[in-house]
Amino acid sequence: MTQQILRQLFSRKAPPKTTQPRPRAMMDSLESRTMLTVVHVGPNEAVKSLDAVKWPTSSSASLDVVIDSSSTPYSVSHHGVWGNVTIEPANAKNPPTIKLAQTNYPTFYSNGKLLIKGIKTSGGYKGILTGTNTKGSVEVDNVTMTDGGSIWRGQGCVNATFHNNNVFG
């Protein structure tokens, strides 16, 4: 009996392969969740201040903020940021200065991934550049805090990396 069942099972032919190709999804434009938005901030740009930047409120957003050097520091208030955010100078040899909010609270609070590189800050000892929650990550590279303050203050994080930063004052 067992041999009869095995013969029946192994003698069956495999179903014929379909000759029609499967329909493929066509992508004629990028979805908003995959796009990188670049905002250029500067005295001669359409966006003149960091407070005028539309900061991401979605974890799937990506934003690169490129900042021109200016004769006056860019004042900025507290901003919670989601998604992947990078803040960097337009010219690494002439970094812009960001005047941090004096609130004893992080100016840029990461709820996603935040990278800040190659800038200067001013504002004094109550200025805190970055912060995170337990789901946020932050990387700060080559930042010079010219008159005190703190690079990071958080309530935990996924990852925090700090390279070649200077705090004076």
Side-chain angles (χ1 to χ4, degrees), residues 15-22:
K17 293 183 179 179
T18 59
T19 57
Q20 296 177 344
R22 292 184 197 173

Side-chain angles (χ1 to χ4, degrees), residues 38-102:
V38 178
V39 176
H40 200 139
V41 177
N44 300 319
E45 301 296 329
V47 179
K48 308 254 186 254
S49 74
L50 290 167
D51 286 331
V53 172
K54 187 174 192 269
W55 297 97
T57 58
S58 166
S59 62
S60 61
S62 293
L63 175 66
D64 189 0
V65 179
V66 179
I67 309 170
D68 284 339
S69 185
S70 174
S71 58
T72 58
Y74 293 94
S75 292
V76 63
S77 57
H78 165 75
H79 293 282
V81 294
W82 283 259
N84 295 317
V85 176
T86 300
I87 301 171
E88 62 186 335
N91 180 355
K93 293 182 180 179
N94 190 13
T97 301
I98 297 174
K99 185 174 182 181
L100 301 176
Q102 296 299 297

